[in-house]
Amino acid sequence: MWNVLLSFSGLVALIQLLFLPFFPESPPYLLLQKEDKAGCLKAMKQLWGEGNYHTEFDDLMKEKAITKGTKIMNVLEVLRERSVYPQLCTMLLLLLSLQLCGLKIFQTANLQESIIPYVSLGVSISELISIIFCSSIIERLGRKVLLRGGYWVMGSLLAAITVTLSLQDWYFWMPYCSLVLIILFSVVFAVGP
């Protein structure tokens, strides 16, 4: 029943992709990153309905004033900061443990048992690199762009994975195509959604 499970994930992503353009940007993003006060107030009204949001807007303005003097660090500066090491270790352990859950799909793809741990490690490393890359571009592109693009690419990759898993008995090289598509799926998921 792997194909039903895979299709369900694609269906949920498609539904989110269809409705995402109708949602406004995040008010804090509009105010703090884009410095769009009118857009922030408009987004608040779209998200929360008609009302007076001056208290929330004032809180965001205070946050903007507090963070104005704060230097925004890039990824390498964050990695050098010793105070975030416990959080980084927790994130790494979580990513590595999540990769253990993906072993079944590699077995379904008819990969040799001896290379599955290495493939899983490769997926973990590529996902970690993707997360670091995403954290460096998210401020420039915005979450909405990454979500929308990520869901489109993920939907296409899920369709391709379904095809390659269905055809794996016909061609000897098809399991490797499935492997590449699975790695690409995890990379796109880490960058986008």
Side-chain angles (χ1 to χ4, degrees):
M1 300 293 289
W2 61 265
N3 49 356
V4 175
L5 184 63
L6 205 57
S7 300
F8 182 73
S9 300
L11 179 67
V12 172
L14 182 64
I15 290 170
Q16 290 177 349
L17 184 62
L18 291 175
F19 287 105
L20 189 62
F22 301 106
F23 288 102
E25 289 286 352
S26 165
Y29 171 75
L30 288 171
L31 184 65
L32 301 175
Q33 301 296 325
K34 297 286 187 177
E35 297 184 5
D36 183 7
K37 293 179 183 179
C40 175
L41 286 171
K42 181 181 175 190
M44 285 180 174
K45 287 181 182 177
Q46 279 184 295
L47 288 170
W48 302 325
E50 291 296 323
N52 189 355
Y53 301 111
H54 289 293
T55 306
E56 290 85 0
F57 187 77
D58 290 340
D59 288 342
L60 286 174
M61 289 301 288
K62 288 176 189 173
E63 182 180 342
K64 182 177 179 180
I66 290 170
T67 59
K68 190 158 189 135
T70 306
K71 181 185 177 235
I72 297 176
M73 299 190 320
N74 63 29
V75 177
L76 291 176
E77 291 171 339
V78 170
L79 291 175
R80 290 185 198 129
E81 182 66 37
R82 290 194 181 274
S83 63
V84 298
Y85 282 176
Q87 293 89 343
L88 285 174
C89 289
T90 303
M91 184 181 74
L92 283 173
L93 286 174
L94 179 64
L95 285 173
L96 291 174
S97 65
L98 282 174
Q99 293 311 311
L100 295 175
C101 301
L103 294 178
K104 182 62 180 167
I105 198 161
F106 294 135
Q107 291 170 341
T108 304
N110 286 338
L111 293 176
Q112 296 173 352
E113 290 285 330
S114 60
I115 67 166
I116 288 178
Y118 300 109
V119 170
S120 184
L121 182 63
V123 170
S124 299
I125 291 170
S126 63
E127 195 167 314
L128 179 64
I129 291 169
S130 302
I131 289 171
I132 291 171
F133 175 71
C134 175
S135 63
S136 65
I137 64 169
I138 195 167
E139 297 302 326
R140 277 184 252 134
L141 298 177
R143 287 181 175 83
K144 204 170 185 179
V145 172
L146 289 178
L147 281 172
R148 190 178 309 137
Y151 280 130
W152 275 113
V153 175
M154 285 171 52
S156 302
L157 288 172
L158 284 172
I161 289 170
T162 303
V163 170
T164 58
L165 287 176
S166 298
L167 297 176
Q168 67 185 351
D169 294 331
W170 293 21
Y171 304 102
F172 73 93
W173 47 268
M174 199 57 71
Y176 299 104
C177 288
S178 300
L179 172 66
V180 169
L181 291 171
I182 291 166
I183 291 172
L184 284 175
F185 181 84
S186 69
V187 166
V188 171
F189 177 78
V191 170

Short mmCIF file of all heavy atoms in Angstrom, two decimals, residues 141-170:
data_model
loop_
_atom_site.label_atom_id
_atom_site.label_comp_id
_atom_site.label_asym_id
_atom_site.label_seq_id
_atom_site.Cartn_x
_atom_site.Cartn_y
_atom_site.Cartn_z
N LEU A 141 13.89 35.71 0.00
CA LEU A 141 12.76 35.27 -0.82
C LEU A 141 11.43 35.29 -0.08
O LEU A 141 10.40 35.48 -0.69
CB LEU A 141 13.02 33.85 -1.33
CG LEU A 141 14.22 33.66 -2.25
CD1 LEU A 141 14.38 32.21 -2.62
CD2 LEU A 141 14.08 34.52 -3.48
N GLY A 142 11.45 35.04 1.22
CA GLY A 142 10.22 34.96 1.99
C GLY A 142 9.71 33.53 2.07
O GLY A 142 10.00 32.70 1.21
N ARG A 143 8.95 33.25 3.11
CA ARG A 143 8.45 31.90 3.34
C ARG A 143 7.45 31.46 2.28
O ARG A 143 7.39 30.31 1.89
CB ARG A 143 7.81 31.81 4.73
CG ARG A 143 8.81 31.82 5.83
CD ARG A 143 8.12 31.70 7.19
NE ARG A 143 9.08 31.59 8.24
CZ ARG A 143 9.69 32.61 8.82
NH1 ARG A 143 9.43 33.83 8.42
NH2 ARG A 143 10.56 32.41 9.79
N LYS A 144 6.62 32.39 1.83
CA LYS A 144 5.56 32.05 0.89
C LYS A 144 6.14 31.53 -0.42
O LYS A 144 5.65 30.55 -0.98
CB LYS A 144 4.69 33.27 0.65
CG LYS A 144 3.31 32.97 0.20
CD LYS A 144 2.47 34.23 0.24
CE LYS A 144 1.05 33.93 -0.10
NZ LYS A 144 0.20 35.11 -0.04
N VAL A 145 7.18 32.17 -0.91
CA VAL A 145 7.82 31.73 -2.16
C VAL A 145 8.43 30.35 -1.99
O VAL A 145 8.27 29.47 -2.85
CB VAL A 145 8.88 32.76 -2.59
CG1 VAL A 145 9.70 32.24 -3.76
CG2 VAL A 145 8.24 34.08 -2.94
N LEU A 146 9.12 30.13 -0.87
CA LEU A 146 9.74 28.82 -0.64
C LEU A 146 8.69 27.73 -0.47
O LEU A 146 8.87 26.61 -0.95
CB LEU A 146 10.65 28.88 0.59
CG LEU A 146 11.93 29.68 0.42
CD1 LEU A 146 12.72 29.71 1.72
CD2 LEU A 146 12.78 29.12 -0.69
N LEU A 147 7.59 28.04 0.21
CA LEU A 147 6.53 27.05 0.37
C LEU A 147 5.89 26.71 -0.97
O LEU A 147 5.72 25.53 -1.31
CB LEU A 147 5.46 27.57 1.33
CG LEU A 147 5.78 27.49 2.81
CD1 LEU A 147 4.71 28.21 3.61
CD2 LEU A 147 5.88 26.04 3.26
N ARG A 148 5.53 27.73 -1.73
CA ARG A 148 4.85 27.51 -3.00
C ARG A 148 5.74 26.72 -3.95
O ARG A 148 5.33 25.70 -4.52
CB ARG A 148 4.46 28.84 -3.62
CG ARG A 148 3.55 28.69 -4.81
CD ARG A 148 3.13 30.01 -5.41
NE ARG A 148 2.62 30.92 -4.42
CZ ARG A 148 2.93 32.21 -4.36
NH1 ARG A 148 3.74 32.73 -5.24
NH2 ARG A 148 2.42 32.98 -3.43
N GLY A 149 6.96 27.16 -4.12
CA GLY A 149 7.88 26.45 -5.01
C GLY A 149 8.19 25.05 -4.52
O GLY A 149 8.25 24.10 -5.29
N GLY A 150 8.38 24.92 -3.20
CA GLY A 150 8.67 23.61 -2.63
C GLY A 150 7.56 22.61 -2.85
O GLY A 150 7.80 21.45 -3.20
N TYR A 151 6.30 23.06 -2.68
CA TYR A 151 5.19 22.14 -2.87
C TYR A 151 5.03 21.74 -4.33
O TYR A 151 4.70 20.59 -4.62
CB TYR A 151 3.88 22.74 -2.34
CG TYR A 151 3.75 22.64 -0.85
CD1 TYR A 151 3.43 23.74 -0.08
CD2 TYR A 151 3.96 21.42 -0.20
CE1 TYR A 151 3.32 23.64 1.29
CE2 TYR A 151 3.85 21.32 1.17
CZ TYR A 151 3.52 22.43 1.90
OH TYR A 151 3.42 22.32 3.26
N TRP A 152 5.26 22.65 -5.25
CA TRP A 152 5.19 22.28 -6.67
C TRP A 152 6.24 21.23 -7.01
O TRP A 152 5.94 20.22 -7.65
CB TRP A 152 5.39 23.51 -7.57
CG TRP A 152 4.14 24.28 -7.81
CD1 TRP A 152 3.87 25.55 -7.38
CD2 TRP A 152 2.98 23.86 -8.52
NE1 TRP A 152 2.61 25.93 -7.78
CE2 TRP A 152 2.04 24.91 -8.49
CE3 TRP A 152 2.63 22.69 -9.19
CZ2 TRP A 152 0.80 24.83 -9.09
CZ3 TRP A 152 1.38 22.62 -9.79
CH2 TRP A 152 0.49 23.67 -9.74
N VAL A 153 7.46 21.47 -6.58
CA VAL A 153 8.55 20.53 -6.89
C VAL A 153 8.32 19.20 -6.17
O VAL A 153 8.51 18.12 -6.75
CB VAL A 153 9.92 21.14 -6.54
CG1 VAL A 153 11.03 20.13 -6.72
CG2 VAL A 153 10.18 22.38 -7.39
N MET A 154 7.88 19.26 -4.90
CA MET A 154 7.63 18.01 -4.16
C MET A 154 6.53 17.19 -4.81
O MET A 154 6.62 15.96 -4.88
CB MET A 154 7.28 18.32 -2.71
CG MET A 154 8.46 18.72 -1.86
SD MET A 154 8.00 19.33 -0.24
CE MET A 154 6.96 18.06 0.38
N GLY A 155 5.48 17.85 -5.28
CA GLY A 155 4.40 17.12 -5.96
C GLY A 155 4.90 16.43 -7.21
O GLY A 155 4.56 15.27 -7.48
N SER A 156 5.73 17.13 -7.97
CA SER A 156 6.30 16.52 -9.18
C SER A 156 7.21 15.35 -8.83
O SER A 156 7.18 14.31 -9.49
CB SER A 156 7.10 17.57 -9.95
OG SER A 156 6.28 18.66 -10.28
N LEU A 157 8.01 15.53 -7.78
CA LEU A 157 8.91 14.45 -7.36
C LEU A 157 8.14 13.24 -6.85
O LEU A 157 8.52 12.09 -7.12
CB LEU A 157 9.89 14.95 -6.31
CG LEU A 157 10.98 15.90 -6.82
CD1 LEU A 157 11.76 16.49 -5.66
CD2 LEU A 157 11.91 15.18 -7.77
N LEU A 158 7.04 13.46 -6.13
CA LEU A 158 6.23 12.33 -5.65
C LEU A 158 5.63 11.56 -6.83
O LEU A 158 5.59 10.32 -6.81
CB LEU A 158 5.12 12.82 -4.72
CG LEU A 158 5.56 13.19 -3.32
CD1 LEU A 158 4.40 13.84 -2.56
CD2 LEU A 158 6.06 11.98 -2.56
N ALA A 159 5.19 12.27 -7.85
CA ALA A 159 4.67 11.58 -9.03
C ALA A 159 5.77 10.77 -9.71
O ALA A 159 5.56 9.62 -10.10
CB ALA A 159 4.08 12.61 -10.00
N ALA A 160 6.96 11.36 -9.81
CA ALA A 160 8.08 10.65 -10.44
C ALA A 160 8.51 9.44 -9.60
O ALA A 160 8.84 8.38 -10.16
CB ALA A 160 9.25 11.60 -10.66
N ILE A 161 8.52 9.59 -8.28
CA ILE A 161 8.88 8.46 -7.41
C ILE A 161 7.88 7.33 -7.59
O ILE A 161 8.25 6.15 -7.64
CB ILE A 161 8.96 8.91 -5.93
CG1 ILE A 161 10.19 9.79 -5.72
CG2 ILE A 161 9.01 7.71 -5.00
CD1 ILE A 161 10.22 10.48 -4.35
N THR A 162 6.60 7.66 -7.68
CA THR A 162 5.57 6.63 -7.88
C THR A 162 5.82 5.88 -9.18
O THR A 162 5.73 4.65 -9.23
CB THR A 162 4.18 7.29 -7.90
OG1 THR A 162 3.99 8.01 -6.68
CG2 THR A 162 3.09 6.26 -8.06
N VAL A 163 6.17 6.59 -10.23
CA VAL A 163 6.44 5.95 -11.52
C VAL A 163 7.68 5.06 -11.43
O VAL A 163 7.66 3.90 -11.88
CB VAL A 163 6.61 7.01 -12.63
CG1 VAL A 163 7.14 6.39 -13.91
CG2 VAL A 163 5.29 7.72 -12.88
N THR A 164 8.76 5.57 -10.83
CA THR A 164 9.99 4.78 -10.78
C THR A 164 9.83 3.55 -9.89
O THR A 164 10.39 2.50 -10.20
CB THR A 164 11.19 5.63 -10.30
OG1 THR A 164 10.91 6.16 -9.01
CG2 THR A 164 11.50 6.73 -11.28
N LEU A 165 9.08 3.67 -8.80
CA LEU A 165 8.86 2.50 -7.94
C LEU A 165 7.98 1.46 -8.65
O LEU A 165 8.13 0.26 -8.44
CB LEU A 165 8.26 2.92 -6.60
CG LEU A 165 9.20 3.63 -5.64
CD1 LEU A 165 8.45 4.08 -4.38
CD2 LEU A 165 10.38 2.76 -5.26
N SER A 166 7.07 1.94 -9.48
CA SER A 166 6.21 1.00 -10.23
C SER A 166 6.98 0.28 -11.33
O SER A 166 6.66 -0.85 -11.68
CB SER A 166 5.04 1.77 -10.85
OG SER A 166 4.25 2.35 -9.84
N LEU A 167 7.99 0.94 -11.88
CA LEU A 167 8.75 0.36 -13.00
C LEU A 167 10.06 -0.29 -12.57
O LEU A 167 10.86 -0.65 -13.43
CB LEU A 167 9.05 1.46 -14.04
CG LEU A 167 7.86 2.11 -14.72
CD1 LEU A 167 8.32 3.25 -15.62
CD2 LEU A 167 7.05 1.08 -15.49
N GLN A 168 10.28 -0.45 -11.29
CA GLN A 168 11.59 -0.93 -10.83
C GLN A 168 11.89 -2.36 -11.26
O GLN A 168 13.06 -2.74 -11.37
CB GLN A 168 11.71 -0.80 -9.32
CG GLN A 168 10.77 -1.69 -8.54
CD GLN A 168 10.87 -1.43 -7.07
OE1 GLN A 168 11.75 -0.70 -6.64
NE2 GLN A 168 9.98 -2.00 -6.30
N ASP A 169 10.87 -3.15 -11.55
CA ASP A 169 11.12 -4.53 -12.00
C ASP A 169 11.42 -4.60 -13.49
O ASP A 169 11.89 -5.62 -13.98
CB ASP A 169 9.89 -5.40 -11.69
CG ASP A 169 9.68 -5.55 -10.19
OD1 ASP A 169 10.67 -5.48 -9.44
OD2 ASP A 169 8.51 -5.72 -9.77
N TRP A 170 11.17 -3.56 -14.23
CA TRP A 170 11.36 -3.57 -15.67
C TRP A 170 12.78 -3.19 -16.07
O TRP A 170 13.30 -3.68 -17.07
CB TRP A 170 10.39 -2.61 -16.34
CG TRP A 170 8.95 -3.03 -16.25
CD1 TRP A 170 8.40 -3.90 -15.36
CD2 TRP A 170 7.90 -2.60 -17.08
NE1 TRP A 170 7.07 -4.03 -15.57
CE2 TRP A 170 6.72 -3.24 -16.63
CE3 TRP A 170 7.81 -1.74 -18.15
CZ2 TRP A 170 5.49 -3.05 -17.23
CZ3 TRP A 170 6.57 -1.55 -18.75
CH2 TRP A 170 5.43 -2.20 -18.30
#
